Amino acid sequence: MLPTHTSSEVPDVLVAVLPVGSHEQHGPFLPLATDTVIACTIAAEIAKTHPVRTLPPVTISCSHEHAAWPGTVSISAATLHALVRDVAESLRRAGVPKLVLVNGHGGNYVLGNVVQEAHGDMALFPGLDEWEAARAAAGMETDGDADMHAGELETSILLHAHPGLVRDGYETADHLADDRRSLLTLGMAAYTASGVIGRPSLASADKGRDALGSLVAAFGGCLAALQGQGGGARQARDEGQHAVDDGDGQPLR
């Protein structure tokens, strides 16, 4: 999960990807680090195809709605906001003006604001559209609303990429709670005793493989959106660092 290259092996690229996970319950059959593992898996697959630099993951984030279960640990939204901004600033000074937040936890709402404030120098991936496209490409029977936690999608990705992390019991752990209008107020415990909201019984390694493939392909659109956007590239060029466009119309590397 952690990058192990040396400083001399860091790729000379203009885009970094920061996996952002969480440390929260995922029912009795998936690990607390599920969201971090998934974010790292997506980032690693992206780096095989696209010119990006992978960073170590953020492993604890905003999981306050899961506080009723042992093991869950959270930080404040303000702390996560500050951490991401500090990472982006450090990268910018090192000549890497663009940052993609590969988010594995739906409760990290603040990441959208961080990206919004970056004026084109950051992106958030995958978005809702990319997740739903991944479900469709994998032939999943659920959508992201009904299958929102420890369900078909998350279990499938782990069955494909890290099957040793999936404990017995997911085959009979389905639980649906479609009306969750007060989730942020009451927390997950008001809607599930097990911590599961979704259909893990439908999961398969093949679905996980196809979902990841869809996400890797969709990341090309994320790179295209970053290209030529924001002030980071211009500022880097002014400081004698790498630029997204060198004046000859060259694309991101």
Side-chain angles (χ1 to χ4, degrees), residues 18-36:
L18 177 65
V20 183
S22 70
H23 198 73
E24 65 186 39
Q25 69 82 21
H26 275 77
F29 54 87
L30 296 183
L32 292 162
T34 289
D35 291 342
T36 301

PDB file of all heavy atoms in Angstrom, residues 18-36:
ATOM      1  N   LEU A  18      -3.263  11.338  -4.374  1.00  0.00           N
ATOM      2  CA  LEU A  18      -3.259  11.132  -2.930  1.00  0.00           C
ATOM      3  C   LEU A  18      -4.443  10.253  -2.548  1.00  0.00           C
ATOM      4  O   LEU A  18      -5.591  10.715  -2.574  1.00  0.00           O
ATOM      5  CB  LEU A  18      -3.352  12.472  -2.204  1.00  0.00           C
ATOM      6  CG  LEU A  18      -3.431  12.400  -0.669  1.00  0.00           C
ATOM      7  CD1 LEU A  18      -2.148  11.826  -0.080  1.00  0.00           C
ATOM      8  CD2 LEU A  18      -3.728  13.791  -0.089  1.00  0.00           C
ATOM      9  N   PRO A  19      -4.222   8.984  -2.196  1.00  0.00           N
ATOM     10  CA  PRO A  19      -5.340   8.155  -1.727  1.00  0.00           C
ATOM     11  C   PRO A  19      -5.819   8.647  -0.365  1.00  0.00           C
ATOM     12  O   PRO A  19      -5.007   8.887   0.538  1.00  0.00           O
ATOM     13  CB  PRO A  19      -4.729   6.750  -1.625  1.00  0.00           C
ATOM     14  CG  PRO A  19      -3.425   6.812  -2.362  1.00  0.00           C
ATOM     15  CD  PRO A  19      -2.960   8.231  -2.256  1.00  0.00           C
ATOM     16  N   VAL A  20      -7.128   8.792  -0.229  1.00  0.00           N
ATOM     17  CA  VAL A  20      -7.716   9.209   1.052  1.00  0.00           C
ATOM     18  C   VAL A  20      -8.710   8.135   1.462  1.00  0.00           C
ATOM     19  O   VAL A  20      -9.698   7.889   0.764  1.00  0.00           O
ATOM     20  CB  VAL A  20      -8.414  10.575   0.941  1.00  0.00           C
ATOM     21  CG1 VAL A  20      -8.943  10.998   2.323  1.00  0.00           C
ATOM     22  CG2 VAL A  20      -7.462  11.630   0.391  1.00  0.00           C
ATOM     23  N   GLY A  21      -8.432   7.482   2.561  1.00  0.00           N
ATOM     24  CA  GLY A  21      -9.303   6.419   3.036  1.00  0.00           C
ATOM     25  C   GLY A  21      -9.976   6.787   4.338  1.00  0.00           C
ATOM     26  O   GLY A  21     -10.363   7.932   4.566  1.00  0.00           O
ATOM     27  N   SER A  22     -10.085   5.808   5.223  1.00  0.00           N
ATOM     28  CA  SER A  22     -10.676   6.030   6.541  1.00  0.00           C
ATOM     29  C   SER A  22     -10.308   4.855   7.422  1.00  0.00           C
ATOM     30  O   SER A  22      -9.749   3.858   6.956  1.00  0.00           O
ATOM     31  CB  SER A  22     -12.201   6.159   6.452  1.00  0.00           C
ATOM     32  OG  SER A  22     -12.777   4.896   6.135  1.00  0.00           O
ATOM     33  N   HIS A  23     -10.625   4.963   8.688  1.00  0.00           N
ATOM     34  CA  HIS A  23     -10.435   3.853   9.629  1.00  0.00           C
ATOM     35  C   HIS A  23     -11.755   3.692  10.369  1.00  0.00           C
ATOM     36  O   HIS A  23     -11.987   4.305  11.413  1.00  0.00           O
ATOM     37  CB  HIS A  23      -9.288   4.159  10.597  1.00  0.00           C
ATOM     38  CG  HIS A  23      -8.762   2.944  11.293  1.00  0.00           C
ATOM     39  ND1 HIS A  23      -7.986   1.999  10.665  1.00  0.00           N
ATOM     40  CD2 HIS A  23      -8.909   2.510  12.575  1.00  0.00           C
ATOM     41  CE1 HIS A  23      -7.665   1.043  11.507  1.00  0.00           C
ATOM     42  NE2 HIS A  23      -8.220   1.328  12.681  1.00  0.00           N
ATOM     43  N   GLU A  24     -12.624   2.880   9.786  1.00  0.00           N
ATOM     44  CA  GLU A  24     -13.993   2.772  10.294  1.00  0.00           C
ATOM     45  C   GLU A  24     -14.524   1.363  10.072  1.00  0.00           C
ATOM     46  O   GLU A  24     -14.045   0.623   9.201  1.00  0.00           O
ATOM     47  CB  GLU A  24     -14.901   3.770   9.571  1.00  0.00           C
ATOM     48  CG  GLU A  24     -15.050   3.462   8.085  1.00  0.00           C
ATOM     49  CD  GLU A  24     -15.824   4.502   7.303  1.00  0.00           C
ATOM     50  OE1 GLU A  24     -15.629   5.692   7.601  1.00  0.00           O
ATOM     51  OE2 GLU A  24     -16.597   4.125   6.418  1.00  0.00           O
ATOM     52  N   GLN A  25     -15.533   1.021  10.836  1.00  0.00           N
ATOM     53  CA  GLN A  25     -16.142  -0.293  10.726  1.00  0.00           C
ATOM     54  C   GLN A  25     -16.689  -0.549   9.330  1.00  0.00           C
ATOM     55  O   GLN A  25     -17.214   0.351   8.667  1.00  0.00           O
ATOM     56  CB  GLN A  25     -17.250  -0.443  11.767  1.00  0.00           C
ATOM     57  CG  GLN A  25     -18.493   0.413  11.537  1.00  0.00           C
ATOM     58  CD  GLN A  25     -19.484  -0.193  10.544  1.00  0.00           C
ATOM     59  OE1 GLN A  25     -19.492  -1.399  10.294  1.00  0.00           O
ATOM     60  NE2 GLN A  25     -20.340   0.659   9.978  1.00  0.00           N
ATOM     61  N   HIS A  26     -16.543  -1.780   8.888  1.00  0.00           N
ATOM     62  CA  HIS A  26     -17.153  -2.231   7.634  1.00  0.00           C
ATOM     63  C   HIS A  26     -17.805  -3.590   7.849  1.00  0.00           C
ATOM     64  O   HIS A  26     -17.549  -4.555   7.116  1.00  0.00           O
ATOM     65  CB  HIS A  26     -16.109  -2.304   6.515  1.00  0.00           C
ATOM     66  CG  HIS A  26     -15.882  -1.005   5.811  1.00  0.00           C
ATOM     67  ND1 HIS A  26     -15.130   0.007   6.361  1.00  0.00           N
ATOM     68  CD2 HIS A  26     -16.324  -0.533   4.620  1.00  0.00           C
ATOM     69  CE1 HIS A  26     -15.105   1.042   5.528  1.00  0.00           C
ATOM     70  NE2 HIS A  26     -15.828   0.738   4.473  1.00  0.00           N
ATOM     71  N   GLY A  27     -18.633  -3.647   8.887  1.00  0.00           N
ATOM     72  CA  GLY A  27     -19.273  -4.910   9.208  1.00  0.00           C
ATOM     73  C   GLY A  27     -18.275  -5.901   9.779  1.00  0.00           C
ATOM     74  O   GLY A  27     -17.103  -5.589   9.973  1.00  0.00           O
ATOM     75  N   PRO A  28     -18.720  -7.137  10.030  1.00  0.00           N
ATOM     76  CA  PRO A  28     -17.845  -8.131  10.647  1.00  0.00           C
ATOM     77  C   PRO A  28     -16.930  -8.858   9.675  1.00  0.00           C
ATOM     78  O   PRO A  28     -16.145  -9.709  10.090  1.00  0.00           O
ATOM     79  CB  PRO A  28     -18.844  -9.113  11.277  1.00  0.00           C
ATOM     80  CG  PRO A  28     -20.047  -9.024  10.405  1.00  0.00           C
ATOM     81  CD  PRO A  28     -20.133  -7.591   9.959  1.00  0.00           C
ATOM     82  N   PHE A  29     -16.982  -8.533   8.370  1.00  0.00           N
ATOM     83  CA  PHE A  29     -16.239  -9.313   7.379  1.00  0.00           C
ATOM     84  C   PHE A  29     -15.249  -8.494   6.554  1.00  0.00           C
ATOM     85  O   PHE A  29     -14.447  -9.064   5.809  1.00  0.00           O
ATOM     86  CB  PHE A  29     -17.209 -10.034   6.432  1.00  0.00           C
ATOM     87  CG  PHE A  29     -18.205  -9.134   5.772  1.00  0.00           C
ATOM     88  CD1 PHE A  29     -17.903  -8.491   4.580  1.00  0.00           C
ATOM     89  CD2 PHE A  29     -19.444  -8.916   6.345  1.00  0.00           C
ATOM     90  CE1 PHE A  29     -18.812  -7.639   3.978  1.00  0.00           C
ATOM     91  CE2 PHE A  29     -20.365  -8.074   5.743  1.00  0.00           C
ATOM     92  CZ  PHE A  29     -20.039  -7.432   4.556  1.00  0.00           C
ATOM     93  N   LEU A  30     -15.270  -7.180   6.642  1.00  0.00           N
ATOM     94  CA  LEU A  30     -14.286  -6.351   5.955  1.00  0.00           C
ATOM     95  C   LEU A  30     -13.484  -5.566   6.986  1.00  0.00           C
ATOM     96  O   LEU A  30     -14.003  -5.188   8.037  1.00  0.00           O
ATOM     97  CB  LEU A  30     -14.956  -5.373   4.981  1.00  0.00           C
ATOM     98  CG  LEU A  30     -15.714  -5.976   3.797  1.00  0.00           C
ATOM     99  CD1 LEU A  30     -16.255  -4.861   2.897  1.00  0.00           C
ATOM    100  CD2 LEU A  30     -14.843  -6.929   2.997  1.00  0.00           C
ATOM    101  N   PRO A  31     -12.214  -5.279   6.710  1.00  0.00           N
ATOM    102  CA  PRO A  31     -11.362  -4.613   7.705  1.00  0.00           C
ATOM    103  C   PRO A  31     -11.705  -3.149   7.908  1.00  0.00           C
ATOM    104  O   PRO A  31     -12.329  -2.507   7.053  1.00  0.00           O
ATOM    105  CB  PRO A  31      -9.956  -4.765   7.117  1.00  0.00           C
ATOM    106  CG  PRO A  31     -10.166  -4.923   5.648  1.00  0.00           C
ATOM    107  CD  PRO A  31     -11.465  -5.658   5.485  1.00  0.00           C
ATOM    108  N   LEU A  32     -11.255  -2.609   9.037  1.00  0.00           N
ATOM    109  CA  LEU A  32     -11.435  -1.192   9.328  1.00  0.00           C
ATOM    110  C   LEU A  32     -10.779  -0.326   8.258  1.00  0.00           C
ATOM    111  O   LEU A  32     -11.233   0.786   7.979  1.00  0.00           O
ATOM    112  CB  LEU A  32     -10.833  -0.856  10.695  1.00  0.00           C
ATOM    113  CG  LEU A  32     -11.547  -1.450  11.917  1.00  0.00           C
ATOM    114  CD1 LEU A  32     -10.627  -1.420  13.127  1.00  0.00           C
ATOM    115  CD2 LEU A  32     -12.830  -0.691  12.208  1.00  0.00           C
ATOM    116  N   ALA A  33      -9.723  -0.820   7.651  1.00  0.00           N
ATOM    117  CA  ALA A  33      -8.974  -0.058   6.647  1.00  0.00           C
ATOM    118  C   ALA A  33      -9.530  -0.217   5.235  1.00  0.00           C
ATOM    119  O   ALA A  33      -8.864   0.167   4.270  1.00  0.00           O
ATOM    120  CB  ALA A  33      -7.515  -0.496   6.662  1.00  0.00           C
ATOM    121  N   THR A  34     -10.744  -0.722   5.092  1.00  0.00           N
ATOM    122  CA  THR A  34     -11.297  -1.008   3.767  1.00  0.00           C
ATOM    123  C   THR A  34     -11.207   0.187   2.821  1.00  0.00           C
ATOM    124  O   THR A  34     -10.758   0.060   1.672  1.00  0.00           O
ATOM    125  CB  THR A  34     -12.762  -1.463   3.890  1.00  0.00           C
ATOM    126  OG1 THR A  34     -12.789  -2.772   4.474  1.00  0.00           O
ATOM    127  CG2 THR A  34     -13.446  -1.525   2.525  1.00  0.00           C
ATOM    128  N   ASP A  35     -11.637   1.353   3.261  1.00  0.00           N
ATOM    129  CA  ASP A  35     -11.651   2.515   2.369  1.00  0.00           C
ATOM    130  C   ASP A  35     -10.242   2.922   1.953  1.00  0.00           C
ATOM    131  O   ASP A  35     -10.016   3.342   0.814  1.00  0.00           O
ATOM    132  CB  ASP A  35     -12.347   3.699   3.044  1.00  0.00           C
ATOM    133  CG  ASP A  35     -13.837   3.475   3.203  1.00  0.00           C
ATOM    134  OD1 ASP A  35     -14.386   2.593   2.516  1.00  0.00           O
ATOM    135  OD2 ASP A  35     -14.454   4.175   4.033  1.00  0.00           O
ATOM    136  N   THR A  36      -9.291   2.786   2.876  1.00  0.00           N
ATOM    137  CA  THR A  36      -7.906   3.094   2.541  1.00  0.00           C
ATOM    138  C   THR A  36      -7.354   2.087   1.542  1.00  0.00           C
ATOM    139  O   THR A  36      -6.678   2.458   0.569  1.00  0.00           O
ATOM    140  CB  THR A  36      -7.038   3.100   3.813  1.00  0.00           C
ATOM    141  OG1 THR A  36      -7.554   4.073   4.719  1.00  0.00           O
ATOM    142  CG2 THR A  36      -5.591   3.425   3.483  1.00  0.00           C
TER     143      THR A  36
END
